[in-house]
Every structure is written in structure tokens, then in C-alpha cells.
Amino acid sequence: MFTKLTPINKEQHANLKVKAIENFDFASKFHIASVMVHEFVKAASVYPIVFLEDKSQDEFKPVALLSLDAGENLFIGEDGKWQASYVPAIIRRYPFALAKNPDQDSFTVCIDEDSKYVGTEDGQLLFNDQGEPTEVIENVKRYLGELQQMEVFTIAFCQFLAENNLFTPLNMRVKAADQIKNVTGCYVINEERLNNLSDKKFLEIKAKGYLAPLYSHLTSLSQIERLALLKQGISAVETPQQAESSLQ
């Protein structure tokens, strides 16, 4: 997504402007998008939510599947418009991002200088004539700050699932574009293990605010068939009867 991510500063970016995103061509090759726990409820109505294991960090991370094939995003039309009711927050933040400062518990707001939505001709200025941040910068800082807090919560959520042995590998077969595809390489929550947790552990899940995302994730797995339909060129807004018929 980012090709030239640079920390924002008033000396270097005094005349820099940012335009509103008109299309999502920059995400057309993304078959997954990271999502935060707070997004699960909305994202689950559109995308399958699964977990990827990052062995280098010894952690699991939730992602929304945008396709069953790498290098493909089934939710971007020929006009570059996002064809779904919800766009993952990590996509909406573009062309901005946070970078952690080395040896510090703080972050710096960065911008992709190579983005076609960044330049000196059109858009909203990042700094005013006095060199002070404009409302654009303030809004971005607030938005990215909220995402960072969500990420902390999401990391704790995934750690809890791992510690309680609730992850299990996904192994599913679906028909997509006249081919049978094996959906593997990711993890889901083991519903049987979840249901067998003690009452005490279940109350702990409730107290932590994990119930809604847990069941949103489990519900979202039916959207894997939605991806198969989209791959076949069948509208994802067709009736359940049409979808069922197409998958037989």
C-alpha cells in the first residue's frame, strides 16, 4: 500500500495537500485486510474474518478475507469503487499511517508521498500559513490514535484466545469459478472448545467485552461462500436461495 512513507513535518510538507480518496485502486491487489476487534460486527456482515499466525512475533492477527486468491480484491469494481457496505479501517486511513518511534512509547504520523492523493496542486493543506497543523492533521491524528488503541485491545483479545487454546486451523472446501478451492493457512475459533469453557471463564469473556467479536467472527465464516459467489461473477446481493442454488 505504501511506497514512500515519510514522517510529516512542517518544514518538508509546508505546501503539501491531500485529496479525498475517489477510488480504491491502490487496494486492488489486497486479498486480506487487517481488522480490529471493534470492526468485527460490521465487517462480519460482508467478509469472512479469520486469524493469521505471525510466528516471528508469536501472535495471531485477525484479517478480513477480500478474496480466496492472492493478488485479488473482489470488492473493488472496474471504476475503483469499493463495492461493499463496510471498508476496513486500515484501508480508510490511507495515505496516512503511524510509525513507532525507536526506543520510545510514542508514534509519529506519516504520509505516503508517492500517493496520487498527495501533492501541492489540489486538496487540503496539511499546514497553514503560520506553519501550524490544519484540521486535516488533527483529524488524522485522532483517527490514527483511535486505531492504535483498538490495536492494543485486539492484541489482548488474540492473546486471550491463544492462551485458552481456542484457535484451530481452518480447512474448508468451496467451489469458486468452477474450481474446488481448499481454504487453509489460517485459523478460526473452535466453537466446541468455546462452548465447553467453564462458567467462570465465560463470565471473564463477558467482562472483557469479547462476546460480541467472538460470535461475529463465527458468524462471518459463512461469508467464505460469498467470496466464492463473487469469484463466479454472481452478485453478493442475490437472494440466499439463488446463492444456495449456485453453490450446488
Side-chain angles (χ1 to χ4, degrees):
M1 184 188 305
F2 301 104
T3 58
K4 192 178 179 182
L5 200 59
T6 307
I8 294 176
N9 66 79
K10 61 183 178 181
E11 289 78 19
Q12 185 176 348
H13 301 126
N15 300 315
L16 203 63
K17 298 179 180 180
V18 176
K19 296 187 294 183
I21 294 178
E22 298 171 347
N23 64 61
F24 293 88
D25 286 342
F26 63 88
S28 63
K29 303 300 182 182
F30 299 162
H31 75 289
I32 60 172
S34 296
V35 287
M36 307 299 176
V37 166
H38 306 71
E39 301 179 80
F40 277 25
V41 173
K42 289 184 177 180
S45 66
V46 183
Y47 319 103
I49 299 171
V50 298
F51 297 84
L52 299 181
E53 184 179 14
D54 184 348
K55 293 185 178 180
S56 65
Q57 299 294 323
D58 191 27
E59 63 183 16
F60 291 85
K61 297 181 179 180
V63 299
L65 294 181
L66 309 178
S67 174
L68 298 178
D69 295 304
E72 176 184 63
N73 186 337
L74 294 171
F75 294 92
I76 295 181
E78 294 181 1
D79 58 358
K81 302 297 183 183
W82 198 281
Q83 299 180 326
S85 59
Y86 183 76
V87 181
I90 197 170
I91 303 293
R92 286 184 279 121
R93 73 177 181 177
Y94 187 78
F96 298 97
L98 282 182
K100 194 175 188 305
N101 295 318
D103 303 322
Q104 296 183 38
D105 191 21
S106 60
F107 296 83
T108 298
V109 177
C110 301
I111 191 168
D112 185 359
E113 294 181 334
D114 281 348
S115 171
K116 67 179 181 179
Y117 298 106
V118 175
T120 57
E121 299 297 326
D122 303 316
Q124 295 179 287
L125 283 165
L126 299 183
F127 297 92
N128 60 26
D129 294 338
Q130 289 73 45
E132 298 297 324
T134 64
E135 187 177 357
V136 173
I137 292 291
E138 297 304 322
N139 289 339
V140 168
K141 287 174 64 176
R142 181 167 58 252
Y143 181 65
L144 294 180
E146 291 172 355
L147 289 185
Q148 178 58 28
Q149 293 177 0
M150 292 180 188
E151 183 176 7
V152 171
F153 187 89
T154 300
I155 291 173
F157 172 76
C158 292
Q159 288 176 340
F160 177 89
L161 298 180
E163 290 167 359
N164 288 277
N165 193 32
L166 289 175
F167 285 123
T168 191
L170 174 64
N171 191 354
M172 183 176 181
R173 290 164 60 87
V174 295
K175 182 180 179 181
D178 297 324
Q179 293 182 342
I180 300 298
K181 296 191 70 66
N182 292 314
V183 184
T184 59
C186 52
Y187 292 81
V188 296
I189 293 170
N190 188 304
E191 191 170 2
E192 182 179 356
R193 293 178 201 161
L194 176 64
N195 291 333
N196 287 333
L197 290 176
S198 66
D199 290 346
K200 180 180 179 181
K201 184 63 68 173
F202 191 83
L203 289 175
E204 182 182 353
I205 289 174
K206 179 181 177 182
K208 288 179 178 293
Y210 293 167
L211 277 182
L214 278 172
Y215 288 110
S216 293
H217 154 69
L218 291 171
T219 301
S220 79
L221 297 179
S222 64
Q223 301 297 349
I224 291 176
E225 293 186 350
R226 178 195 187 100
L227 297 183
L229 290 174
L230 289 173
K231 185 66 175 180
Q232 295 179 62
I234 300 172
S235 172
V237 297
E238 287 184 349
T239 66
Q241 290 81 4
Q242 289 173 306
E244 182 177 352
S245 175
S246 300
L247 284 170
Q248 291 177 348

